[in-house]
Amino acid sequence: MASPSYPRLRAVLLRVAQSIPVVIGVVIISFLLTRALPGDPAVYFAGAAADEASIQEVRVALGLDKPLIQQFFIYVGDLLRGDLGQSISSGQSVASDLANRLPASLELTLTALILSCGIAIPLGILAATRPGSWVDHLCRVLVTAGVSLPTFFTGIVLIYVFYYLLGIAPSPIGRLDFIYLDPDRVTGFYLIDAALMGDWETWGGAAKQLVLPAITLALFTLAPIARMTRAAMLTALSSDFIRTARAAGLSNRKVLYGYAFRNAMLPVITTLGMVFSFALGANVLVEKVFAWPGIGSYAVEALVVSDYAAVQGFVLAMALLFVALNLVIDLLYTVIDPRIGFTSK
Amino acid sequence: MTTSHSRRNFLKMGMAGASVLPFLRAMPAAAQGSDTLVIVTGQTINSLDLHRTGTNRPSYQVAVNCYDRLVSFGTKEAPGGGLSYDYDTIVPELAESWTVSDDGMTLTFKLKSNATFWDGSKVTAEDVKWSFERAVSVGGFPSVQMRAGGFLRPDQFAAIDEETFQITLDKPSKLSIPDLAVPVPFIINSTVAKANATEDDPWAMEYLHTTPAGSGAFKVLRWSPGEQLVYERNDDWVGGPLPAAQRVVVREVPSPATRRALIERGDVQMSFGIPDKDAAELAELDDVDVFSTPIENCMHCLCTNTQFEPFQDADVRKAVAYAVPYDDIFQAAAYGRGAPLWGGEAEITDTAWPRKTQYSTDLDKAKEHMAKSGYPDGFDVPLSINLGLASWMEPTALLIQENLAKIGINATIEKIPGANWRTAALVEKRLALHLENFGGWLNTPDYYFFWAYVEGNLFNSSNYRNDEVEALVEATLHMPVEDPAYAPNVIRMMEIALEDLPRIPLYQPALNVAANGSEGYEFWFHRQLDARPLAKV
């Protein structure tokens, strides 16, 4: 009875088990790399006017006076207890920083991806079905523009036009204008939390703030998705099974969406996974321009001041996120294409 | 302060009108009106407690706005428009009056009898004593700053009775009372703090880090690190005139371009700490007021390290001073904001500091000095800059490099990451030629000289030593400025410093603030926002 789901569950567990060495590796590497960063955090955080004694006090307080190997075991011990440490630069625990900032970044990235998929996939399909037409050219122009304009530039242009000149966009000062209160925290995604509270005023406020940064990021992520959709659709449309389907007299619609698109989706999903990862990275600049309190700017600031705990926490959170993402993508493969199974491995 | 807690306060305190509008969780329109000020800044506030290790400079504004000190500085017109604190006038804040004993060793403060903390309890001398003991005991920057005023040990402080507080100094110093007006010796509600102290944390560092407990003009309504800080006025404040703004929102916007768009549009009332370039351009606009106040007792300098052999030659140092393209630097790096420090008279007749030096760009003189020196054919030298301050250091270094090449000095620019800078420049003092920007909080020349020209002291990154300067600083540091020996001593040390040139003054930098719809901005030496005098117009 449980047989259909059982192998899949086992496969998922196997996958999760396979990711454990990856995470261990990430923990070791992130620890060593942060220690290799130039600069002495104790000196930095003691402040410019501090004397030798107070620097030493800070060093002891940070645990940096101990040998490296001992620091590592303390770090791992804390990790196992779920303690990511204390960020010195933000003054908060790393766990609470991540819990505050990761949803902000994810909300922005996911909104941007949904937006860009909503444009890129239809555009790619249209371009593939009518190669050489104006749609194809439009697709090409959009893709070239999107990939060649850096996000901070697009962001500033959008602010200049829609906020500064036209005045239709809200002030680019973060996730919510100061006149609103944060919705009660459930997921950390303002749109979801506000909707859960039924507070549509705040929902509208959060959505308005999201529009420009999401468009900025969407423009950037449009290119690979549209290109990949177009290429995959072209390949699929020229394959034998499509010719057979057409010869069998199936409707154009059925051929296009039932057979060609479904087959073309595999590379698109793969690309989507990659795009998601680099979009989270590219976020940094968008976050800076729109004052978005996300994870990218947090990590960069932590890196600049050698805030070890924050950098390690960030790297670890990202690693876990990608392990989860890869798992989801692998599972999606099996849903889209039943020929791909875990059992073959 | 947890989010849910502050939300409750926020709803309770600020939103009397909101109950009428059950579905509108946004602030009522009235709250956006004349009594809420929105200020944007590019900096992050990382703690609400200045005494904590790791608290960054932008966080000092919390100590200013939320806590009181015994005394404060007065107000004067600032050069370049707007207002400035006045170092020469000390005004009461929590202290009603004070007396200095005849030997100058005992300072007795009488506290205002109506001063209360936010929780309604009375501010007592015990609170002051506890707070001062905390400042001298926690180490790091707060204790260093306390030491500058002669406050070294907890046993110097005594609560005589509920409203009388006494400090006993080891020696009289003119810096003592001004040092009580800097942000560091702020007064904490010791009852609340002690209730939240633990054995490991006797000074309640963890608690006060997120939850201020003071008597100041503003309470913290909510704080989201990396996003915003919202101040709410304390209507019972007795430290000074009640602030005009009911609520002040300090929002962090990292991108200067975004901050500029916001202030130009007038959606925010103030942009604090804007780049020199934006200040120069915004000043052209009608509806934006730009305040560029030269920072007192601060200079941007080119430092010649005496451990680097060619710089032991006085002629080489003078050649460098004549080769520096001062005006180009002032225009390219500072966009003309601040004050020039070149082309003055050689003869010094007053104690103003920073002051115009007798040097200006003169390549012929520079070449003459090079020819006279022991290095007529020039030499190679690294010119080091701090990447964290690249916005002014990089253009400055490039311009200096170009002109040094004309007198045979081949400078290569060495960029040092911000996290390493302090160790390399100030602790190891190993940078041969570098840029430096020390500014002293206490505004007297001898205080600057103490930090920057005395051997071994932190900001003397040139390893400079001159026996006469050492003696003069020693003699003047605690001497009252009215003393007849003071002015001649200070003039003498300036003459030596500008003759020996371990630091070549370039220009006096400015703190730039743009206002659009607010008034009352006042410059402070700590270069952070003082929200108390601000009002919306």
Side-chain angles (χ1 to χ4, degrees):
Chain A
M1 193 171 79
S3 55
S5 68
Y6 179 61
R8 184 162 289 175
L9 182 69
R10 221 181 70 151
V12 169
L13 289 178
L14 192 70
R15 270 292 157 131
V16 172
Q18 280 171 351
S19 64
I20 289 173
V22 177
V23 173
I24 292 176
V26 166
V27 168
I28 296 174
I29 291 171
S30 70
F31 178 86
L32 288 177
L33 282 185
T34 48
R35 284 342 183 246
L37 284 174
D40 183 342
V43 171
Y44 190 88
F45 288 104
D51 50 18
E52 223 22 76
S54 51
I55 292 172
Q56 190 55 30
E57 280 167 29
V58 176
R59 203 185 304 281
V60 173
L62 296 177
L64 295 175
D65 55 329
K66 300 189 176 72
L68 202 60
I69 190 84
Q70 197 181 344
Q71 287 182 40
F72 179 71
F73 282 114
I74 292 172
Y75 170 59
V76 172
D78 285 345
L79 265 190
L80 290 178
R81 271 180 276 120
D83 179 4
L84 290 175
Q86 195 79 15
S87 158
I88 334 172
S89 54
S90 77
Q92 312 291 308
S93 79
V94 174
S96 78
D97 273 342
L98 291 178
N100 280 327
R101 285 167 170 268
L102 195 57
S105 282
L106 285 178
E107 185 171 42
L108 173 60
T109 311
L110 288 175
T111 313
L113 272 189
I114 292 169
L115 193 67
S116 87
C117 285
I119 300 169
I121 292 177
L123 200 65
I125 295 173
L126 280 174
T129 47
R130 300 174 183 75
S133 72
W134 67 268
V135 187
D136 196 13
H137 289 303
L138 175 76
C139 176
R140 199 165 291 140
V141 169
L142 211 59
V143 158
T144 315
V147 85
S148 51
L149 293 175
T151 45
F152 64 87
F153 177 73
T154 331
I156 287 176
V157 168
L158 288 180
I159 288 179
Y160 183 67
V161 174
F162 292 99
Y163 168 70
Y164 185 77
L165 290 182
L166 302 177
I168 47 179
S171 321
I173 54 172
R175 296 180 81 184
L176 262 184
D177 200 333
F178 65 93
I179 60 164
Y180 299 99
L181 292 174
D182 303 354
D184 287 338
R185 189 185 173 82
V186 183
T187 58
F189 288 63
Y190 279 7
L191 290 182
I192 298 177
D193 289 353
L196 285 178
M197 291 177 71
D199 180 0
W200 300 108
E201 193 80 26
T202 305
W203 193 91
K208 267 196 291 186
Q209 293 296 124
L210 197 55
V211 172
L212 283 194
I215 291 177
T216 309
L217 206 53
L219 277 176
F220 182 64
T221 52
L222 208 69
I225 303 174
R227 294 299 300 170
M228 193 45 80
T229 312
R230 182 177 176 276
M233 279 301 279
L234 279 176
T235 320
L237 284 173
S238 61
S239 40
D240 292 345
F241 64 89
I242 295 295
R243 200 175 51 195
T244 313
R246 285 199 202 282
L250 288 177
S251 74
N252 203 24
R253 206 185 158 74
K254 179 85 187 153
V255 171
L256 209 54
Y257 297 107
Y259 295 98
F261 184 58
R262 189 159 178 183
N263 277 288
M265 257 167 79
L266 277 185
V268 174
I269 293 286
T270 313
T271 317
L272 213 56
M274 273 158 46
V275 168
F276 181 78
S277 47
F278 77 62
L280 263 183
N283 255 350
V284 180
L285 297 168
V286 182
E287 282 169 10
K288 290 266 182 215
V289 170
F290 290 94
W292 204 262
I295 191 126
S297 41
Y298 175 71
V300 170
E301 275 151 30
L303 212 61
V304 169
V305 300
S306 305
D307 189 350
Y308 292 165
V311 174
Q312 287 162 3
F314 167 78
V315 173
L316 191 65
M318 282 309 193
L320 292 177
L321 197 67
F322 286 122
V323 167
L325 185 73
N326 280 328
L327 187 66
V328 169
I329 288 176
D330 282 352
L331 290 177
L332 275 179
Y333 284 165
T334 63
V335 174
I336 294 165
D337 189 344
R339 286 171 302 181
I340 302 178
F342 288 109
T343 41
S344 57
K345 299 230 168 119
Chain B
M1 177 180 299
T2 63
T3 323
S4 61
H5 182 67
S6 62
R7 164 196 299 289
R8 212 171 299 132
N9 288 346
F10 196 38
L11 291 167
K12 209 162 51 191
M13 293 197 270
M15 299 182 54
S19 54
V20 194
L21 303 159
F23 300 113
L24 186 66
R25 281 167 39 81
M27 275 196 242
Q32 304 166 40
S34 60
D35 52 0
T36 297
L37 270 175
V38 186
I39 296 167
V40 284
T41 162
Q43 301 173 306
T44 300
I45 292 167
N46 75 352
S47 173
L48 305 183
D49 178 9
L50 187 151
H51 291 168
R52 184 178 153 271
T53 300
T55 297
N56 59 10
R57 292 187 66 102
S59 310
Y60 295 178
Q61 61 164 283
V62 179
V64 173
N65 294 312
C66 297
Y67 289 99
D68 288 326
R69 280 136 291 275
L70 288 173
V71 291
S72 182
F73 291 114
T75 304
K76 65 175 182 190
E77 296 283 318
L83 300 171
S84 163
Y85 86 104
D86 179 8
Y87 185 82
D88 300 324
T89 320
I90 302 285
V91 299
E93 201 157 89
L94 270 185
E96 191 178 67
S97 59
W98 56 94
T99 52
V100 182
S101 65
D102 290 338
D103 61 0
M105 306 266 278
T106 313
L107 314 176
T108 312
F109 295 85
K110 178 91 178 58
L111 300 183
K112 289 181 180 171
S113 51
N114 57 346
T116 54
F117 289 109
W118 301 329
D119 64 0
S121 61
K122 187 174 161 60
V123 179
T124 66
E126 273 303 326
D127 293 305
V128 182
K129 182 174 184 297
W130 189 84
S131 308
F132 279 35
E133 286 174 359
R134 187 180 198 251
V136 297
S137 307
V138 291
F141 163 72
S143 300
V144 172
Q145 184 64 43
M146 290 300 279
R147 244 174 277 157
F151 316 118
L152 315 170
R153 303 172 309 275
D155 64 26
Q156 288 178 280
F157 311 120
I160 305 296
D161 60 41
E162 204 181 31
E163 290 177 9
T164 315
F165 173 70
Q166 202 167 64
I167 303 175
T168 314
L169 297 168
D170 292 345
K171 59 180 172 197
S173 169
K174 68 166 181 291
L175 298 177
S176 291
I177 288 187
D179 200 40
L180 293 177
V182 304
V184 176
F186 60 85
I187 289 143
I188 302 163
N189 187 336
S190 66
T191 320
V192 172
K194 280 182 203 157
N196 290 283
T198 60
E199 206 158 296
D200 293 340
D201 181 21
W203 299 111
M205 297 292 229
E206 283 311 311
Y207 177 77
L208 292 171
H209 165 46
T210 53
T211 330
S215 58
F218 288 98
K219 308 171 199 183
V220 170
L221 200 51
R222 48 203 277 113
W223 175 44
S224 330
E227 273 181 83
Q228 66 175 0
L229 180 76
V230 182
Y231 293 114
E232 168 90 10
R233 185 174 65 201
N234 166 22
D235 289 329
D236 299 325
W237 190 48
V238 299
L242 202 63
Q246 170 72 29
R247 192 175 290 130
V248 177
V249 181
V250 179
R251 197 82 181 221
E252 290 168 19
V253 177
S255 155
T258 311
R259 291 206 298 277
R260 181 164 167 182
L262 287 164
I263 192 77
E264 274 193 52
R265 291 269 307 171
D267 285 339
V268 300
Q269 282 74 50
M270 181 172 279
S271 181
F272 194 86
I274 58 176
D276 289 319
K277 181 171 189 288
D278 284 348
E281 289 169 11
L282 285 173
E284 307 285 312
L285 301 178
D286 285 339
D287 32 351
V288 181
D289 299 321
V290 175
F291 303 100
S292 292
T293 321
I295 298 168
E296 283 185 349
N297 221 5
C298 180
M299 309 190 285
H300 282 178
C301 309
L302 175 66
C303 297
T304 53
N305 196 329
T306 54
Q307 293 203 333
F308 182 73
E309 214 165 289
F311 291 141
Q312 290 164 4
D313 189 320
D315 277 307
V316 170
R317 298 196 301 267
K318 283 207 174 137
V320 173
Y322 279 117
V324 171
Y326 296 97
D327 194 49
D328 293 348
I329 290 172
F330 191 51
Q331 297 309 328
Y335 292 85
R337 314 308 286 185
L341 291 180
W342 67 92
E345 297 297 321
E347 197 193 345
I348 299 176
T349 51
D350 60 73
T351 59
W353 185 265
R355 63 184 306 117
K356 284 188 174 181
T357 68
Q358 60 268 45
Y359 304 94
S360 53
T361 317
D362 187 337
L363 284 176
D364 294 330
K365 269 193 186 165
K367 282 173 190 158
E368 271 171 39
H369 280 291
M370 275 306 270
K372 270 199 288 181
S373 76
Y375 302 85
D377 304 324
F379 51 89
D380 290 345
V381 63
L383 169 53
S384 309
I385 61 169
N386 178 354
L387 270 183
L389 300 171
S391 63
W392 74 270
M393 284 197 176
E394 194 156 23
T396 304
L398 288 169
L399 287 165
I400 292 174
Q401 180 189 38
E402 194 184 320
N403 267 26
L404 287 184
K406 292 177 191 159
I407 60 166
I409 300 176
N410 178 25
T412 38
I413 293 176
E414 185 193 26
K415 297 176 184 176
I416 299 183
N420 289 4
W421 176 260
R422 186 185 181 280
T423 309
L426 304 181
V427 178
E428 294 171 2
K429 304 185 193 294
R430 61 175 167 82
L431 306 178
L433 185 63
H434 58 277
L435 297 170
E436 215 282 312
N437 65 335
F438 169 66
W441 269 11
L442 302 177
N443 187 20
T444 59
D446 42 288
Y447 187 68
Y448 189 98
F449 273 71
F450 172 76
W451 283 107
Y453 288 101
V454 169
E455 192 188 26
N457 281 1
L458 193 66
F459 294 97
N460 180 2
S461 51
S462 304
N463 290 302
Y464 179 65
R465 181 183 167 90
N466 177 300
D467 291 332
E468 198 181 345
V469 169
E470 306 269 324
L472 287 168
V473 171
E474 169 91 32
T476 47
L477 189 59
H478 302 286
M479 182 189 281
V481 289
E482 302 80 24
D483 194 301
Y486 179 78
N489 279 353
V490 166
I491 288 172
R492 179 68 194 134
M493 68 172 98
M494 288 177 185
E495 280 169 0
I496 301 171
L498 293 181
E499 177 64 25
D500 283 357
L501 288 173
R503 309 164 72 81
I504 302 169
L506 300 173
Y507 63 92
Q508 190 177 1
L511 175 68
N512 301 303
V513 171
N516 187 352
S518 63
E519 60 178 15
Y521 165 71
E522 190 177 327
F523 166 84
W524 279 84
F525 58 90
H526 49 64
R527 308 179 215 174
Q528 303 305 329
L529 172 76
D530 181 358
R532 297 171 299 182
L534 298 180
K536 205 164 179 173
V537 284

